[in-house]
Amino acid sequence: MKKERKILKDKSILLGVTGGVAAYKSVDLIRRLREEGSSVTVIMTDAAKYFATSLSLEVASQNKVYSDLFSYPMAHINLPADADIMVIAPATANIIGKLANGIADNLLSTCFLSFRGKTVIAPSMNWRMYENPIFQENLRHLLSHGVVQVGPEKGSLACGEEGTGRMADIPDIIESIKASLSKKDLLNEKILITAGPTREYLDPVRFISNRSSGRMGYAIARAALRRGARVTLISGNSSLERPTGANFISVDTSADMLNAVNNEMDSSTVLIMSAAVSDFMPVKKSTNKIEKSGNLFLRLKLTPDIISGVGKKRTRPFIIGFAAESGERIKRAKKKLKEKNMDMIIFNNVTETGSGFDTDTNRVVIIDRKKETKLPLMSKNSVADAILDRLTEIRA
Ligand code: C5P
């Protein structure tokens, strides 16, 4: 298997834990970061010790936990020097106020000042504190210096109130760390991605659809967002979590998808059609539920081919399509590339184990007007990055 692109592999993360109720979640954050191959060194503030124990963070990180500025006189220089990224989760109003104003009165704030890389903060506090204009001013100031904010979420807070202030979910924090460590080579692109299946209705309750889960398209959306693109994701029915930061448009039928693509196309630089658009739809949709009165014969007609429609436009985005084939029919995919006037087509054999629908992996061949790149079986996340790599090469 080709080397997977694991952004967090072998990364050294300096994690600041400050005194918010969400501090107990740091154990889970550390565990997930370590699972992705990172090493984590924790700095706790004194207030954090009321909410999580140093021992639990030490066990989770399998590393020494630092706290006191004066016990290790060089820690405020050495710890940041060894780190690829600093993360502060939870980040209280207090630490954000200090960092925004250059105060260095504890180990964490001192490390922040001496650190030269990116810092991600996950604010966590009562909604009144979060909305306080003084806090907001501090936050804006800090962000204007390149610090990255993730969350907070709206929801029920530990104090029993509802509002914005709950620390971002761990997967969102991880995604934000990955984005901060990624190269930003798609800053100038506005990418329109379609994903998932469409449903074609026989009557108000029955439809024909397919096995697409949306995984490939969602993986491309996440990878593109990390790399700095603006992303619109048009998705058919899918149980997957919506990628944070994408403009999300939910659709049902191929007609809905066609409309959504037409509405978004002019403002997009790239169209990636990874959706498994239904090829057929019932000739007629019954307005009432069809009665069960014997065998039923369906008459189906072709759905409008969305990608071909875009390919025919005089000014059009760069078009990437998918060819999910049963069998090694690369020739057919190449023919499709030309016929539909695409710029790139991603071929995959859906009958092969580990490839195609409802799996986390895929084996694809990237075919464009100049070359053919055969990739080994890889995670869909790595396939997404490989497709975007080729896109950037072609558009350089
Ligand atoms: O011809 P085929 O359906 O195999 O082409 C697949 C490509 O065409 C995919 O990128 C798919 O999203 C797109 N497609 C489309 N409109 C359809 C059917 C497929 O844009 N009605």
Side-chain angles (χ1 to χ4, degrees):
M1 187 186 269
K2 190 182 163 180
K3 249 176 89 180
E4 293 284 327
R5 188 176 320 200
K6 291 209 151 173
I7 303 170
L8 292 176
K9 191 161 180 342
D10 299 328
K11 291 290 184 301
S12 169
I13 297 177
L14 190 54
L15 174 66
V17 179
T18 67
V21 229
Y24 75 93
K25 294 186 187 167
S26 307
V27 171
D28 192 31
L29 175 61
I30 295 166
R31 189 177 57 79
R32 304 276 277 271
L33 290 169
R34 293 193 67 232
E35 275 170 11
E36 298 245 8
S38 291
S39 68
V40 182
T41 305
V42 177
I43 300 174
M44 285 181 99
T45 61
D46 286 338
K49 294 177 190 163
Y50 289 97
F51 300 97
T53 69
S54 166
L55 188 64
S56 58
L57 299 177
E58 190 172 324
V59 170
S61 65
Q62 296 284 297
N63 241 333
K64 186 177 188 43
V65 171
Y66 294 81
S67 185
D68 184 38
L69 177 59
F70 301 105
S71 303
Y72 305 94
M74 290 311 286
H76 65 294
I77 307 295
N78 295 340
L79 293 177
D82 291 341
D84 293 298
I85 190 163
M86 263 187 93
V87 179
I88 306 180
T92 56
N94 183 43
I95 193 73
I96 290 169
K98 282 181 187 174
L99 303 187
N101 290 286
I103 294 172
D105 66 344
N106 62 20
L107 183 59
L108 182 58
S109 54
T110 316
C111 281
F112 173 76
L113 274 192
S114 80
F115 184 53
R116 286 290 163 269
K118 272 258 176 273
T119 299
V120 173
I121 56 167
S124 166
M125 66 201 71
N126 172 272
W127 66 273
R128 287 191 189 82
M129 295 171 75
Y130 187 73
E131 285 181 4
N132 185 299
I134 301 174
F135 168 77
Q136 283 294 327
E137 208 171 290
N138 285 337
L139 182 61
R140 269 196 302 278
H141 187 98
L142 195 55
L143 300 183
S144 75
H145 285 281
V147 168
V148 174
Q149 174 186 359
V150 51
E153 303 287 330
K154 199 173 176 174
S156 61
L157 305 173
C159 51
E161 294 185 338
E162 287 281 323
T164 300
R166 210 175 64 194
M167 186 169 86
D169 291 334
I170 303 299
D172 285 337
I173 299 177
I174 303 233
E175 189 57 39
S176 182
I177 299 170
K178 285 182 178 172
S180 299
L181 290 167
S182 296
K183 57 180 176 203
K184 302 285 175 210
D185 56 356
L186 292 173
L187 281 172
N188 296 324
E189 303 288 9
K190 185 160 181 293
I191 307 186
L192 180 59
I193 301 164
T194 66
T198 63
R199 291 173 169 178
E200 312 303 326
Y201 288 86
L202 278 58
D203 66 21
V205 293
R206 303 185 182 98
F207 56 79
I208 51 172
S209 191
N210 58 65
R211 288 176 54 203
S212 169
S213 63
R215 279 198 181 89
M216 193 62 244
Y218 280 55
I220 299 173
R222 284 211 172 79
L225 284 164
R226 267 181 220 143
R227 294 166 72 153
R230 279 172 298 154
V231 171
T232 294
L233 177 60
I234 301 174
S235 174
N237 187 274
S238 170
S239 56
L240 301 176
E241 186 112 356
R242 295 179 181 187
T244 308
N247 170 29
F248 189 88
I249 302 173
S250 170
V251 295
D252 200 19
T253 63
S254 58
D256 294 344
M257 191 168 275
L258 174 69
N259 270 339
V261 168
N262 283 340
N263 288 340
E264 296 295 320
M265 194 194 68
D266 288 342
S267 59
S268 305
T269 57
V270 180
L271 167 66
I272 306 181
M273 283 288 306
S274 68
V277 186
S278 186
D279 289 320
F280 307 103
M281 63 195 283
V283 169
K284 194 168 125 249
K285 176 184 167 187
S286 167
T287 37
N288 297 317
K289 186 178 170 198
I290 299 168
E291 278 181 31
K292 189 171 72 174
S293 56
N295 290 344
L296 179 70
F297 295 94
L298 282 180
R299 274 173 65 77
L300 301 175
K301 62 178 179 184
L302 282 172
T303 53
D305 198 288
I306 304 174
I307 213 163
S308 298
V310 178
K312 286 191 185 107
K313 302 264 187 255
R314 210 156 49 85
T315 52
R316 62 166 186 79
F318 185 96
I319 301 174
I320 304 179
F322 276 73
E325 305 281 356
S326 37
E328 287 298 327
R329 296 153 99 175
I330 294 205
K331 257 199 187 140
R332 235 175 98 119
K334 283 185 182 160
K335 197 164 156 244
K336 240 176 240 178
L337 174 83
K338 291 214 178 86
E339 278 173 4
K340 298 195 185 191
N341 198 24
M342 303 181 201
D343 300 290
M344 193 192 286
I345 193 160
I346 317 301
F347 166 85
N348 74 317
N349 175 357
V350 289
T351 54
E352 193 183 354
T353 317
S355 212
F357 298 120
D358 244 332
T359 63
D360 280 322
T361 51
N362 221 355
R363 188 201 305 273
V364 304
V365 183
I366 300 176
I367 305 161
D368 54 67
R369 302 278 177 154
K370 289 211 177 99
K371 73 172 189 185
E372 205 177 299
T373 319
K374 210 171 189 159
L375 298 175
L377 187 69
M378 290 159 100
S379 72
K380 285 188 175 168
N381 291 334
S382 294
V383 172
D385 270 313
I387 294 168
L388 297 175
D389 284 350
R390 184 68 190 130
L391 171 74
T392 54
E393 266 170 38
I394 295 174
R395 283 167 73 73

